[in-house]
Amino acid sequence: MQKIFEVKEIIDDDDIVALHGGGNMGDVWPFPDMIRQDVIRAFGDKYRLISFPQSISYNNEFWANETQQILKNCIDISIFARDKKSFKIRQIL
């Protein structure tokens, strides 16, 4: 969270927040996904976000629903996926 506060001090209104890739959106990868959720919560209501998770996978409906609620609060978010399964999951989030 300290890094989020540091970025908030220097970010400009027209900046884009990009989240790294590597196949880690969903409860299969809880720690990286929690960090992603923190970043989305911190910046999604004011900045354009682009996320490159590659793969998206949820085994826990609660976790998927929570992600869905977080994404609904974003003013502008693009999430990229590399496979059809992940793309389909993203469509319902």
Side-chain angles (χ1 to χ4, degrees), residues 2-61:
Q2 179 62 33
K3 295 295 180 188
I4 289 174
F5 296 121
E6 291 174 15
V7 171
K8 280 191 164 201
E9 290 184 16
I10 61 170
I11 194 168
D12 290 324
D13 288 344
D14 59 345
D15 284 342
I16 297 170
V17 177
L19 295 106
H20 72 87
N24 56 13
M25 186 171 185
D27 58 359
V28 176
W29 309 275
F31 183 71
D33 198 55
M34 287 187 285
I35 294 171
R36 175 179 286 102
Q37 289 180 4
D38 288 343
V39 171
I40 292 171
R41 280 188 196 100
F43 297 101
D45 63 339
K46 186 173 179 183
Y47 299 96
R48 180 172 186 213
L49 304 175
I50 302 174
S51 183
F52 303 95
Q54 295 183 12
S55 296
I56 303 169
S57 182
Y58 291 92
N59 296 320
N60 181 304
E61 188 175 335

Side-chain angles (χ1 to χ4, degrees), residues 71-82:
L71 296 176
K72 282 183 180 181
N73 293 323
C74 293
I75 59 167
D76 185 0
I77 186 165
S78 299
I79 299 175
F80 291 79
R82 70 174 164 200

